[in-house]
Protein backbone atom coordinates (compact mmCIF):
# COMPACT_ATOMS: atom_id res chain seq x y z
CA UNK A 1 0.00 0.00 0.00
CA UNK A 2 1.27 3.46 -0.76
CA UNK A 3 2.30 5.41 2.30
CA UNK A 4 2.40 8.91 0.81
CA UNK A 5 -0.59 10.50 -0.84
CA UNK A 6 1.43 12.28 -3.51
CA UNK A 7 3.00 9.01 -4.62
CA UNK A 8 -0.14 6.89 -4.83
CA UNK A 9 -0.78 5.11 -8.11
CA UNK A 10 1.08 4.96 -11.39
CA UNK A 11 0.17 8.55 -12.32
CA UNK A 12 -1.71 8.18 -15.60
CA UNK A 13 -1.73 11.50 -17.50
CA UNK A 14 -5.37 11.16 -18.63
CA UNK A 15 -8.43 9.04 -17.79
CA UNK A 16 -8.21 7.36 -21.20
CA UNK A 17 -4.59 6.37 -20.54
CA UNK A 18 -5.67 4.92 -17.20
CA UNK A 19 -8.07 2.61 -19.05
CA UNK A 20 -5.01 0.97 -20.64
CA UNK A 21 -3.49 0.18 -17.25
CA UNK A 22 -2.93 -3.34 -15.89
CA UNK A 23 -5.76 -5.47 -14.57
CA UNK A 24 -6.56 -5.10 -10.88
CA UNK A 25 -5.10 -7.81 -8.63
CA UNK A 26 -6.21 -6.76 -5.15
CA UNK A 27 -9.03 -4.66 -3.70
CA UNK A 28 -9.17 -2.95 -0.30
CA UNK A 29 -12.46 -2.94 1.64
CA UNK A 30 -13.19 -1.49 5.09
CA UNK A 31 -15.09 -4.11 7.10
CA UNK A 32 -17.35 -3.14 9.98
CA UNK A 33 -18.29 -4.82 13.25
CA UNK A 34 -19.91 -1.83 14.96
CA UNK A 35 -23.56 -2.41 15.92
CA UNK A 36 -23.40 -6.08 14.88
CA UNK A 37 -23.09 -7.55 18.36
CA UNK A 38 -19.53 -8.71 17.73
CA UNK A 39 -16.89 -7.12 19.95
CA UNK A 40 -14.09 -6.71 17.44
CA UNK A 41 -12.35 -3.75 15.79
CA UNK A 42 -13.25 -2.62 12.29
CA UNK A 43 -10.55 -3.57 9.82
CA UNK A 44 -9.29 -3.11 6.28
CA UNK A 45 -9.54 -6.29 4.23
CA UNK A 46 -7.34 -7.02 1.22
CA UNK A 47 -9.11 -9.28 -1.29
CA UNK A 48 -7.30 -11.18 -4.05
CA UNK A 49 -9.09 -10.61 -7.40
CA UNK A 50 -6.40 -12.06 -9.65
CA UNK A 51 -7.89 -15.11 -11.47
CA UNK A 52 -4.40 -16.57 -11.82
CA UNK A 53 -3.77 -16.50 -8.07
CA UNK A 54 -4.31 -19.55 -5.84
CA UNK A 55 -5.98 -17.15 -3.37
CA UNK A 56 -8.52 -15.80 -5.87
CA UNK A 57 -11.75 -14.58 -4.16
CA UNK A 58 -10.16 -14.73 -0.71
CA UNK A 59 -9.34 -12.22 2.02
CA UNK A 60 -5.56 -12.37 2.18
CA UNK A 61 -4.90 -9.68 4.81
CA UNK A 62 -6.80 -7.78 7.53
CA UNK A 63 -5.48 -4.60 9.16
CA UNK A 64 -6.94 -2.73 12.14
CA UNK A 65 -8.33 0.59 10.87
CA UNK A 66 -8.47 2.45 14.18
CA UNK A 67 -4.82 1.81 14.88
CA UNK A 68 -4.15 4.20 11.99
CA UNK A 69 -6.81 6.89 12.40
CA UNK A 70 -9.59 7.59 14.88
CA UNK A 71 -11.64 10.32 13.21
CA UNK A 72 -15.41 10.31 13.74
CA UNK A 73 -18.24 10.93 11.24
CA UNK A 74 -15.96 11.12 8.20
CA UNK A 75 -16.71 9.75 4.76
CA UNK A 76 -14.92 10.60 1.50
CA UNK A 77 -11.20 11.13 1.02
CA UNK A 78 -9.41 12.58 -2.00
CA UNK A 79 -5.74 13.37 -2.53
CA UNK A 80 -4.95 16.98 -3.44
CA UNK A 81 -2.29 18.29 -5.82
CA UNK A 82 -0.50 19.68 -2.74
CA UNK A 83 0.06 16.15 -1.46
CA UNK A 84 -2.46 16.59 1.34
CA UNK A 85 -5.48 14.37 1.89
CA UNK A 86 -8.92 15.97 2.18
CA UNK A 87 -11.69 14.14 4.05
CA UNK A 88 -15.37 15.07 4.23
CA UNK A 89 -17.25 15.14 7.53
CA UNK A 90 -20.91 14.46 8.24
CA UNK A 91 -21.12 16.00 11.69
CA UNK A 92 -19.47 17.41 14.78
CA UNK A 93 -18.26 15.19 17.66
CA UNK A 94 -21.73 15.33 19.26
CA UNK A 95 -23.44 14.00 16.13
CA UNK A 96 -24.95 17.29 14.98
CA UNK A 97 -24.90 18.14 11.30
CA UNK A 98 -21.75 19.82 10.01
CA UNK A 99 -20.55 19.46 6.42
CA UNK A 100 -16.92 20.40 6.82
CA UNK A 101 -13.61 19.00 5.57
CA UNK A 102 -10.48 17.80 7.35
CA UNK A 103 -6.99 18.16 5.90
CA UNK A 104 -4.43 15.44 6.63
CA UNK A 105 -0.71 15.48 6.02
CA UNK A 106 0.01 13.33 2.96
CA UNK A 107 2.98 11.59 4.57
CA UNK A 108 2.07 11.19 8.25
CA UNK A 109 -1.76 11.41 7.91
CA UNK A 110 -1.79 13.70 10.94
CA UNK A 111 -4.67 16.20 11.09
CA UNK A 112 -3.57 19.65 9.90
CA UNK A 113 -6.89 21.47 10.31
CA UNK A 114 -10.04 22.22 8.37
CA UNK A 115 -10.16 23.02 4.64
CA UNK A 116 -13.12 25.42 4.74
CA UNK A 117 -12.89 28.87 6.25
CA UNK A 118 -13.74 29.21 9.97
CA UNK A 119 -17.51 29.00 10.42
CA UNK A 120 -17.96 28.16 6.74
CA UNK A 121 -19.08 24.52 6.92
CA UNK A 122 -22.26 23.40 5.18
CA UNK A 123 -25.25 22.47 7.39
CA UNK A 124 -24.81 18.79 6.49
CA UNK A 125 -22.21 16.78 4.61
CA UNK A 126 -21.41 13.51 2.90
CA UNK A 127 -19.50 13.26 -0.41
CA UNK A 128 -17.53 15.72 -2.56
CA UNK A 129 -15.71 16.03 -5.88
CA UNK A 130 -13.60 18.91 -7.13
CA UNK A 131 -12.78 20.12 -10.66
CA UNK A 132 -9.85 22.57 -10.40
CA UNK A 133 -10.01 23.77 -14.02
CA UNK A 134 -13.39 25.26 -13.21
CA UNK A 135 -12.37 26.38 -9.70
CA UNK A 136 -15.25 24.39 -8.21
CA UNK A 137 -16.09 21.68 -5.71
CA UNK A 138 -19.53 20.10 -5.28
CA UNK A 139 -20.55 18.54 -1.96
CA UNK A 140 -23.65 16.58 -0.96
CA UNK A 141 -25.54 15.96 2.27
CA UNK A 142 -27.07 12.92 3.99
CA UNK A 143 -28.22 14.06 7.44
CA UNK A 144 -26.82 14.76 10.90
CA UNK A 145 -25.34 11.55 12.33
CA UNK A 146 -27.81 11.74 15.23
CA UNK A 147 -30.62 11.37 12.69
CA UNK A 148 -29.48 8.32 10.72
CA UNK A 149 -27.13 6.41 12.99
CA UNK A 150 -29.80 4.37 14.79
CA UNK A 151 -31.84 3.58 11.67
CA UNK A 152 -34.30 5.19 9.28
CA UNK A 153 -37.40 6.93 10.66
CA UNK A 154 -39.85 8.25 8.01
CA UNK A 155 -40.91 10.97 10.46
CA UNK A 156 -37.44 12.50 10.10
CA UNK A 157 -38.12 12.99 6.39
CA UNK A 158 -41.36 14.83 7.15
CA UNK A 159 -39.46 16.96 9.66
CA UNK A 160 -36.96 18.00 6.99
CA UNK A 161 -34.00 16.41 8.73
CA UNK A 162 -32.57 14.76 5.62
CA UNK A 163 -30.50 16.54 2.99
CA UNK A 164 -31.90 17.89 -0.27
CA UNK A 165 -29.22 20.29 -1.54
CA UNK A 166 -25.90 20.40 -3.32
CA UNK A 167 -23.30 22.92 -2.21
CA UNK A 168 -21.08 24.66 -4.75
CA UNK A 169 -17.71 25.76 -3.35
CA UNK A 170 -15.10 28.15 -4.71
CA UNK A 171 -12.11 25.80 -4.85
CA UNK A 172 -9.50 28.52 -4.34
CA UNK A 173 -11.34 30.54 -1.68
CA UNK A 174 -12.62 27.50 0.24
CA UNK A 175 -16.15 28.88 0.63
CA UNK A 176 -19.70 28.11 -0.50
CA UNK A 177 -20.80 30.29 -3.40
CA UNK A 178 -24.09 28.54 -4.28
CA UNK A 179 -26.53 26.12 -2.69
CA UNK A 180 -28.66 24.21 -5.17
CA UNK A 181 -32.05 22.89 -3.99
CA UNK A 182 -32.89 19.55 -5.58
CA UNK A 183 -36.36 18.88 -6.93
CA UNK A 184 -37.15 15.24 -6.15
CA UNK A 185 -33.69 14.99 -4.68
CA UNK A 186 -33.91 13.73 -1.10
CA UNK A 187 -30.66 12.43 0.39
CA UNK A 188 -28.12 13.30 -2.32
CA UNK A 189 -25.15 11.03 -1.68
CA UNK A 190 -22.39 10.20 -4.15
CA UNK A 191 -21.07 13.06 -6.33
CA UNK A 192 -19.33 12.28 -9.63
CA UNK A 193 -17.97 14.88 -12.04
CA UNK A 194 -17.16 13.57 -15.51
CA UNK A 195 -13.55 12.32 -15.46
CA UNK A 196 -12.53 14.66 -18.28
CA UNK A 197 -10.88 17.47 -16.27
CA UNK A 198 -12.26 20.06 -18.71
CA UNK A 199 -15.86 18.91 -18.16
CA UNK A 200 -18.18 21.26 -16.33
CA UNK A 201 -20.86 18.72 -15.44
CA UNK A 202 -21.48 15.61 -13.42
CA UNK A 203 -24.08 13.57 -11.58
CA UNK A 204 -25.32 12.92 -8.06
CA UNK A 205 -27.43 9.99 -6.88
CA UNK A 206 -30.35 10.95 -4.63
CA UNK A 207 -31.07 7.91 -2.47
CA UNK A 208 -34.55 8.38 -1.05
CA UNK A 209 -36.04 10.05 -4.14
CA UNK A 210 -34.29 7.45 -6.31
CA UNK A 211 -33.23 9.99 -8.91
CA UNK A 212 -30.03 10.82 -10.73
CA UNK A 213 -29.50 14.54 -11.02
CA UNK A 214 -27.14 16.22 -13.47
CA UNK A 215 -25.33 19.35 -12.28
CA UNK A 216 -23.66 21.64 -14.79
CA UNK A 217 -22.21 25.12 -15.33
CA UNK A 218 -24.80 27.21 -17.12
CA UNK A 219 -24.26 29.96 -19.69
CA UNK A 220 -24.21 32.58 -16.97
CA UNK A 221 -21.22 30.94 -15.30
CA UNK A 222 -23.14 29.71 -12.25
CA UNK A 223 -24.28 26.16 -11.57
CA UNK A 224 -27.63 24.48 -12.20
CA UNK A 225 -29.11 21.02 -11.66
CA UNK A 226 -31.74 18.89 -13.42
CA UNK A 227 -33.24 15.44 -12.94
CA UNK A 228 -32.22 13.03 -15.72
CA UNK A 229 -33.18 9.58 -14.32
CA UNK A 230 -36.10 8.54 -12.12
CA UNK A 231 -36.45 5.05 -10.65
CA UNK A 232 -40.18 4.70 -9.91
CA UNK A 233 -41.20 3.42 -6.46
CA UNK A 234 -42.95 0.09 -6.14
CA UNK A 235 -46.30 -0.26 -4.40
CA UNK A 236 -45.86 -3.06 -1.89
CA UNK A 237 -47.38 -4.94 1.03
CA UNK A 238 -45.44 -6.26 3.99
CA UNK A 239 -42.93 -3.41 4.17
CA UNK A 240 -42.59 -0.36 6.44
CA UNK A 241 -44.24 1.98 3.89
CA UNK A 242 -46.84 1.44 1.15
CA UNK A 243 -44.29 2.46 -1.49
CA UNK A 244 -40.68 1.26 -1.64
CA UNK A 245 -38.01 3.51 -3.20
CA UNK A 246 -35.09 2.03 -5.08
CA UNK A 247 -32.69 3.79 -2.66
CA UNK A 248 -29.79 4.71 -4.94
CA UNK A 249 -26.79 4.40 -2.65
CA UNK A 250 -23.78 4.48 -4.98
CA UNK A 251 -23.00 5.71 -8.48
CA UNK A 252 -19.87 5.85 -10.61
CA UNK A 253 -18.76 6.71 -14.14
CA UNK A 254 -16.48 4.76 -16.44
CA UNK A 255 -13.17 6.50 -17.08
CA UNK A 256 -14.15 7.30 -20.68
CA UNK A 257 -17.32 9.03 -19.40
CA UNK A 258 -19.49 6.76 -21.52
CA UNK A 259 -21.34 4.73 -18.88
CA UNK A 260 -22.97 5.59 -15.56
CA UNK A 261 -23.64 2.81 -13.05
CA UNK A 262 -25.75 2.86 -9.91
CA UNK A 263 -27.19 0.51 -7.31
CA UNK A 264 -30.76 0.34 -6.00
CA UNK A 265 -30.11 -1.13 -2.55
CA UNK A 266 -33.75 -1.81 -1.69
CA UNK A 267 -35.11 -2.85 -5.09
CA UNK A 268 -32.00 -4.98 -5.55
CA UNK A 269 -30.91 -4.05 -9.06
CA UNK A 270 -27.70 -2.71 -10.52
CA UNK A 271 -28.05 -0.47 -13.59
CA UNK A 272 -25.88 0.72 -16.47
CA UNK A 273 -26.74 3.82 -18.52
CA UNK A 274 -25.11 5.16 -21.67
CA UNK A 275 -24.39 8.85 -20.96
CA UNK A 276 -22.92 9.79 -24.33
CA UNK A 277 -25.65 12.44 -24.14
CA UNK A 278 -25.47 13.41 -20.44
CA UNK A 279 -28.86 15.13 -20.59
CA UNK A 280 -30.56 11.96 -21.83
CA UNK A 281 -29.08 8.83 -20.21
CA UNK A 282 -30.15 5.57 -21.88
CA UNK A 283 -30.60 2.33 -19.93
CA UNK A 284 -28.30 -0.36 -21.41
CA UNK A 285 -27.96 -2.90 -18.62
CA UNK A 286 -29.83 -4.10 -15.52
CA UNK A 287 -29.16 -6.99 -13.18
CA UNK A 288 -30.95 -8.05 -9.97
CA UNK A 289 -28.62 -9.06 -7.13
CA UNK A 290 -30.92 -9.76 -4.20
CA UNK A 291 -32.92 -6.93 -2.66
CA UNK A 292 -36.17 -6.59 -0.72
CA UNK A 293 -38.66 -7.63 -3.40
CA UNK A 294 -37.40 -11.12 -4.24
CA UNK A 295 -39.85 -14.01 -4.46
CA UNK A 296 -40.48 -15.88 -1.25
CA UNK A 297 -39.68 -12.91 0.98
CA UNK A 298 -41.97 -10.91 3.29
CA UNK A 299 -42.67 -8.19 0.70
CA UNK A 300 -45.44 -8.59 -1.85
CA UNK A 301 -45.35 -6.34 -4.91
CA UNK A 302 -48.77 -4.84 -5.66
CA UNK A 303 -47.94 -2.50 -8.52
CA UNK A 304 -44.73 -2.04 -10.49
CA UNK A 305 -44.11 0.25 -13.44
CA UNK A 306 -41.06 -1.73 -14.57
CA UNK A 307 -41.37 -5.44 -13.65
CA UNK A 308 -44.00 -8.02 -14.52
CA UNK A 309 -43.01 -10.30 -11.63
CA UNK A 310 -40.80 -10.27 -8.56
CA UNK A 311 -37.18 -11.33 -9.20
CA UNK A 312 -35.76 -14.62 -8.01
CA UNK A 313 -33.45 -14.66 -4.95
CA UNK A 314 -29.75 -14.59 -5.88
CA UNK A 315 -27.73 -17.71 -5.18
CA UNK A 316 -23.98 -17.70 -5.92
CA UNK A 317 -21.82 -20.79 -5.35
CA UNK A 318 -24.57 -22.30 -3.22
CA UNK A 319 -25.07 -19.22 -1.01
CA UNK A 320 -28.24 -17.15 -1.02
CA UNK A 321 -27.00 -13.56 -1.05
CA UNK A 322 -28.41 -11.35 1.73
CA UNK A 323 -28.96 -7.62 1.22
CA UNK A 324 -28.88 -5.78 -2.07
CA UNK A 325 -26.23 -4.17 -4.30
CA UNK A 326 -24.68 -1.21 -2.52
CA UNK A 327 -21.09 -0.03 -3.03
CA UNK A 328 -19.66 -0.53 -6.52
CA UNK A 329 -16.26 -0.23 -8.17
CA UNK A 330 -15.33 -0.53 -11.84
CA UNK A 331 -12.11 -1.90 -13.28
CA UNK A 332 -9.97 0.69 -15.07
CA UNK A 333 -10.78 -0.84 -18.47
CA UNK A 334 -14.49 -0.78 -17.61
CA UNK A 335 -15.01 -4.52 -18.12
CA UNK A 336 -15.54 -5.68 -14.52
CA UNK A 337 -17.78 -4.26 -11.84
CA UNK A 338 -17.35 -5.24 -8.19
CA UNK A 339 -20.26 -4.99 -5.75
CA UNK A 340 -20.77 -5.25 -1.97
CA UNK A 341 -24.11 -5.53 -0.17
CA UNK A 342 -23.91 -3.65 3.16
CA UNK A 343 -24.97 0.00 3.53
CA UNK A 344 -24.61 0.99 7.18
CA UNK A 345 -24.90 -1.40 10.10
CA UNK A 346 -27.95 0.23 11.74
CA UNK A 347 -29.77 0.35 8.39
CA UNK A 348 -28.60 -3.18 7.53
CA UNK A 349 -30.14 -4.39 10.79
CA UNK A 350 -33.40 -2.60 9.99
CA UNK A 351 -33.84 -3.57 6.34
CA UNK A 352 -31.75 -6.74 5.94
CA UNK A 353 -31.28 -8.43 9.35
CA UNK A 354 -29.75 -11.44 7.59
CA UNK A 355 -26.72 -9.25 6.85
CA UNK A 356 -26.00 -8.93 10.56
CA UNK A 357 -26.27 -12.69 11.08
CA UNK A 358 -24.50 -13.78 7.89
CA UNK A 359 -22.23 -10.88 6.94
CA UNK A 360 -22.09 -9.21 3.55
CA UNK A 361 -20.65 -10.50 0.29
CA UNK A 362 -18.63 -9.20 -2.62
CA UNK A 363 -19.68 -10.04 -6.18
CA UNK A 364 -18.21 -9.45 -9.62
CA UNK A 365 -20.15 -8.44 -12.75
CA UNK A 366 -18.90 -8.75 -16.33
CA UNK A 367 -19.62 -5.62 -18.37
CA UNK A 368 -20.26 -5.34 -22.10
CA UNK A 369 -18.45 -2.11 -23.00
CA UNK A 370 -19.44 -2.25 -26.67
CA UNK A 371 -23.22 -2.64 -26.74
CA UNK A 372 -23.83 -2.31 -23.01
CA UNK A 373 -25.03 -5.02 -20.65
CA UNK A 374 -24.29 -6.69 -17.31
CA UNK A 375 -23.74 -10.38 -16.50
CA UNK A 376 -23.02 -11.97 -13.13
CA UNK A 377 -19.78 -13.95 -12.80
CA UNK A 378 -21.13 -17.15 -11.15
CA UNK A 379 -17.65 -18.22 -10.03
CA UNK A 380 -16.83 -15.12 -7.98
CA UNK A 381 -17.96 -14.78 -4.36
CA UNK A 382 -16.22 -13.34 -1.32
CA UNK A 383 -18.26 -14.31 1.74
CA UNK A 384 -17.50 -12.03 4.69
CA UNK A 385 -19.70 -14.22 6.84
CA UNK A 386 -16.74 -16.59 7.13
CA UNK A 387 -14.28 -14.11 8.67
CA UNK A 388 -12.30 -15.47 11.66
CA UNK A 389 -13.88 -13.08 14.20
CA UNK A 390 -17.40 -13.50 12.89
CA UNK A 391 -19.64 -12.15 10.11
CA UNK A 392 -18.43 -8.72 8.94
CA UNK A 393 -20.01 -5.96 6.86
CA UNK A 394 -17.75 -5.05 3.92
CA UNK A 395 -18.28 -1.59 2.50
CA UNK A 396 -16.57 0.48 -0.21
CA UNK A 397 -14.00 -0.92 -2.65
CA UNK A 398 -10.67 0.69 -3.54
CA UNK A 399 -7.67 -0.23 -5.69
CA UNK A 400 -4.17 0.54 -4.36
CA UNK A 401 -3.29 2.61 -7.44
CA UNK A 402 -6.48 4.65 -7.82
CA UNK A 403 -9.89 3.95 -9.31
CA UNK A 404 -13.02 5.37 -10.93
CA UNK A 405 -14.43 6.87 -7.74
CA UNK A 406 -11.31 8.39 -6.18
CA UNK A 407 -9.02 9.66 -8.96
CA UNK A 408 -9.33 13.30 -10.04
CA UNK A 409 -7.29 14.71 -12.91
CA UNK A 410 -6.12 18.29 -12.48
Amino acid sequence: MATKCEKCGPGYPTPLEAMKGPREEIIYLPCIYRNTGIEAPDYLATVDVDPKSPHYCQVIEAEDIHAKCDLGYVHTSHCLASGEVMVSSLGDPKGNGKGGFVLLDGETFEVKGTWERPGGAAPMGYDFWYQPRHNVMISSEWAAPNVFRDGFNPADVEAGLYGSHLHVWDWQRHEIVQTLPLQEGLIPLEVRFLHNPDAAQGFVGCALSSTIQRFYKNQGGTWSVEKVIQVPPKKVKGWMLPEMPGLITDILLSLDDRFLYFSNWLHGDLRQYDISDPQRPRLTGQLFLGGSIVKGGPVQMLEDQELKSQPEPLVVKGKRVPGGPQMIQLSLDGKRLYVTTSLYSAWDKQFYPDLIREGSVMLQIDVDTVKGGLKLNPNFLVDFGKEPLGPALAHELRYPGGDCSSDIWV
Side-chain angles (χ1 to χ4, degrees), residues 312-326:
E312 296 288 341
L314 178 65
V315 178
V316 182
K317 299 180 74 171
K319 177 178 175 60
R320 177 168 171 160
V321 171
Q326 206 285 92

Side-chain angles (χ1 to χ4, degrees), residues 246-247 249 263-270 287-294 314 321-328 339-343 348 351-352 355 360-361 363 394:
L247 207 72
T249 52
S263 53
N264 285 309
W265 190 60
L266 289 177
H267 287 180
D269 59 317
L270 185 68
L287 186 63
F288 278 86
L289 302 170
S292 295
I293 60 168
V294 295
L314 178 65
V321 171
Q326 206 285 92
M327 297 303 292
I328 54 179
V339 186
T340 56
T341 54
S342 165
L343 172 60
D348 292 347
F351 293 107
Y352 294 114
L355 277 174
S360 64
V361 302
L363 306 170

Side-chain angles (χ1 to χ4, degrees), residues 53-72:
S53 169
H55 304 294
Y56 182 55
C57 290
Q58 296 179 26
V59 176
I60 57 175
E61 185 178 356
E63 184 176 11
D64 186 350
I65 293 175
H66 297 294
K68 300 293 183 182
C69 177
D70 194 21
L71 298 173

Side-chain angles (χ1 to χ4, degrees), residues 295-358:
K295 290 180 180 178
V299 177
Q300 179 184 353
M301 213 156 57
L302 302 178
E303 184 178 327
D304 194 320
Q305 299 178 35
E306 297 181 317
L307 300 178
K308 294 181 179 180
S309 62
Q310 295 181 230
E312 296 288 341
L314 178 65
V315 178
V316 182
K317 299 180 74 171
K319 177 178 175 60
R320 177 168 171 160
V321 171
Q326 206 285 92
M327 297 303 292
I328 54 179
Q329 187 56 260
L330 190 66
S331 60
L332 296 185
D333 61 10
K335 296 181 179 180
R336 292 165 301 283
L337 193 65
Y338 297 93
V339 186
T340 56
T341 54
S342 165
L343 172 60
Y344 178 74
S345 56
W347 290 42
D348 292 347
K349 186 181 298 185
Q350 182 177 7
F351 293 107
Y352 294 114
D354 285 350
L355 277 174
I356 304 299
R357 293 189 292 267
E358 300 180 29

Side-chain angles (χ1 to χ4, degrees), residues 122-277:
M124 291 181 276
Y126 188 69
D127 195 27
F128 73 101
W129 197 285
Y130 63 92
Q131 202 77 321
R133 296 186 188 183
H134 293 279
N135 188 36
V136 68
M137 180 179 80
I138 305 288
S139 69
S140 62
E141 48 183 37
W142 184 358
N146 287 338
V147 172
F148 65 75
R149 66 182 175 189
D150 293 326
F152 174 70
N153 185 346
D156 291 335
V157 179
E158 297 295 326
L161 299 182
Y162 278 97
S164 61
H165 298 82
L166 291 181
H167 301 285
V168 183
W169 300 73
D170 185 297
W171 180 242
Q172 294 181 348
R173 299 206 312 264
H174 301 194
E175 62 184 12
I176 296 174
V177 292
Q178 265 187 278
T179 294
L180 302 175
L182 299 168
Q183 300 297 321
E184 300 177 275
L186 278 171
I187 313 186
L189 295 181
E190 308 295 343
V191 177
R192 304 286 184 257
F193 262 100
L194 297 187
H195 291 288
N196 180 350
D198 290 322
Q201 61 180 320
F203 300 90
V204 61
C206 299
L208 194 58
S209 298
S210 301
T211 62
I212 300 293
Q213 310 261 350
R214 170 182 169 259
F215 54 84
Y216 60 97
K217 184 186 283 189
N218 56 44
Q219 291 183 347
T222 58
W223 292 80
S224 301
V225 65
E226 63 178 355
K227 182 180 75 172
V228 292
I229 299 173
Q230 172 75 65
V231 176
K234 303 182 187 300
K235 291 186 178 180
V236 296
K237 181 181 179 181
W239 198 64
M240 67 183 302
L241 295 170
E243 289 193 345
M244 179 189 292
L247 207 72
I248 298 173
T249 52
D250 198 12
I251 72 170
L252 59 77
L253 308 181
S254 58
L255 286 175
D256 57 4
D257 292 330
R258 183 185 169 194
F259 290 112
L260 178 150
Y261 299 87
F262 67 80
S263 53
N264 285 309
W265 190 60
L266 289 177
H267 287 180
D269 59 317
L270 185 68
R271 300 193 182 199
Q272 176 197 51
Y273 284 79
D274 187 315
I275 54 169
S276 300
D277 180 353

Side-chain angles (χ1 to χ4, degrees), residues 4-67:
K4 295 184 180 181
C5 182
E6 69 270 25
K7 294 188 178 180
C8 290
Y12 300 109
T14 69
L16 295 181
E17 285 298 315
M19 295 187 75
K20 303 174 186 177
R23 179 178 173 135
E24 66 283 355
E25 296 182 347
I26 60 173
I27 292 181
Y28 299 131
L29 304 91
C31 293
I32 308 302
Y33 280 122
R34 282 168 290 167
N35 300 320
T36 66
I38 297 176
E39 296 296 327
D42 300 341
Y43 65 97
L44 186 69
T46 302
V47 172
D48 190 326
V49 295
D50 180 3
K52 299 177 182 179
S53 169
H55 304 294
Y56 182 55
C57 290
Q58 296 179 26
V59 176
I60 57 175
E61 185 178 356
E63 184 176 11
D64 186 350
I65 293 175
H66 297 294

